[in-house]
Amino acid sequence: MAEAVSAVLLAVVLVTAVVRPWGWPEAVIAAPAAVIVVATGAIDPHQALDQAKRIGPVIGFLAAVLILAQLTEDEGLFRALGRWLARDAGPPRRLLARVFAVAATVTAVLSLDATVVLLTPVVFTAAARLGARAKPHIYGLSHLANSGSLLLPVSNLTNLIAFAATGLSFPRFAALMAVPWLAAIAAEYVVFRRFFRSDLYAPARPQPAAEPVGVPWLVITILGATLAGFVVTSLAGINPAWAAAAGAAALAVRGLARGQTSPLAIWRAADVAFLVFVLALAVVVAGVTDNGLAGVLDRVMPSGSSLWALLATAALAAAAANVINNLPAVLVLLPLAAAAGPGAVLALLIGVNIGPNLTYTGSLATLLWRRVLREHGEEPDLGEFTRLGLLTVPLALVAAVVALWAGLRVIGG
Amino acid sequence: MIVITWIVEGTWPACVDAARTVAPADAEIVLLHVTGGEAGAAAHGAYAGLMGRRRPSRDPGPRVAELGAASARELLEAAAGRLGRPCTTAERRGRAEREVVAAAEGADLLILARDGDDTRLGPRSLGPASRFVVDHAPCPVLLVWPRAVPAGPVPPPPGPGHEPPHPPPGRGPEPPHSPHRH
């Protein structure tokens, strides 16, 4: 009974998160569903509390990163990046290389949301200013928001959720993921250069730059200090979320003092409805995994830390992420991967982070629903984007997992 | 005489120059640009894929679409300025290759530029959209180099026993009868 109730509730939560009936925030369905899971006894209240305790700090960390990203936007960081991207002429190949560098860095430091929401318009403007065709660069951003999110625990919500389960310190996580991150980006770059070769040779026609490039040193310094803070706090045994909070606080004080932001804007940047949704989803998923799903998955989940086991883990995670979305996928698979050790958890993250590039919407569920809605009228050429995904995803997955495997041998889990 | 000049980012100046050179004084020159909408749609799709955090005000899709429309207007203005003689400008939305072929209906000449590497002769001069346009255009087509014609020899023919080159992975030419969707 408990099994059926929690499975149905999870299905309802996931479907409504994709369909979003009446434009409601996802939490409107997910939060009551979590309450029902606990009230019907599908999950022990203590277990629910444990899950909430695990996810709570993750959510705090996430809120700090979301606020940090929005405040850097208010400070003009993204406008400066746009001017840097378009600062001089040159073939569009050079713009693509710069877009890859900027997108990988922004995704790693400020998370994939920042790349998708804040960087996309900036890159489009830079391409237009240089007279370059925008498509390769925008598709590149869309890919790097996923495959560029391997490096740090803050780069992707999936990493934040899994970070504690790895038992690794912040710098150790980054050290193990640095080479896989570079390998995935390199794989994407090689494929993009070839795939879009007819668009990347067109001579660019720069327009006169409207304004000189001013470097927002203060924002960059605060971001650098925040990154250093991640390392220091982690080594001192303090939750690195505090470093993110301190960075966000420093920028918030400055932004408020200069009238660039308001308490309301900061509150909105934290996206409380999203935070509640993540917490509720975690509780509902725990209800399902505790009632039989874990046993089923345990049989398909590879164990051990051989190269094959890591590859199989990443492939399974990529497949799961593609069916519905990588957020529920990581919640479902994490307890099983965690039992196999930090290497397996990192392979899981490689899978759920790179896998969504097979579709331009991150999952088949969202893609199908958008096809049903036909909400936009204009769609990317589905065949083209899928061919691009079929070329990049397996290559990036294998490159990153092999790099991870080698790193585990050298550095150790 | 109607001369359609397909204006594409990067390569358009050569097409405008060719139109000025080849079109007779009484010809009607149409500068045509097609906005594909893929960039805005891809941006919107990426945002839609972020489970749990969709708020319409943060969706980059509409913003990118707006920027695309503004950039198309500027491009056509620049092209008309470079042409320096009376012309009409036409902006269409949709699949570029389909729109260009449709717009060329009843025209006497369609001018477009090569894609790809323009620093040497060959090997492939047309991206998928230009390939489709050349294959399906209902009028004569003038294909121009984006910049000066590169010097250099044409590569020698393959020696005996060599298979014809396989299309490279990725954006190979479309199979001849594959249906093109709108």
Side-chain angles (χ1 to χ4, degrees), chain A residues 197-362:
Chain A
R197 63 188 178 283
S198 64
D199 294 318
L200 291 172
Y201 279 89
R205 304 252 157 194
Q207 296 171 2
E211 52 210 303
V213 179
V215 181
W217 284 115
L218 191 82
V219 183
I220 293 173
T221 309
I222 291 176
L223 282 179
T226 307
L227 287 178
F230 288 146
V231 176
V232 172
T233 48
S234 188
L235 293 178
I238 306 168
N239 188 334
W242 290 108
L251 280 174
V253 167
R254 180 180 151 84
L256 288 170
R258 292 166 45 128
Q260 285 169 335
T261 188
S262 64
L264 183 66
I266 294 174
W267 171 257
R268 284 179 57 83
D271 204 348
V272 175
F274 173 44
L275 305 179
V276 171
F277 169 74
V278 174
L279 183 63
L281 179 64
V283 170
V284 175
V285 166
V288 178
T289 46
D290 289 358
N291 284 297
L293 185 63
V296 175
L297 285 171
D298 202 22
R299 283 198 290 278
V300 286
M301 193 79 173
S303 58
S305 60
S306 69
L307 179 57
W308 296 117
L310 295 179
L311 281 170
T313 301
L316 178 69
N322 261 298
V323 174
I324 176 75
N325 187 278
N326 63 6
L327 194 52
V330 79
L331 286 168
V332 168
L333 296 174
L334 182 62
L336 303 164
V345 176
L346 296 180
L348 165 74
L349 287 178
I350 289 173
V352 294
N353 291 349
I354 295 176
N357 278 342
L358 271 181
T359 56
Y360 68 92
T361 55

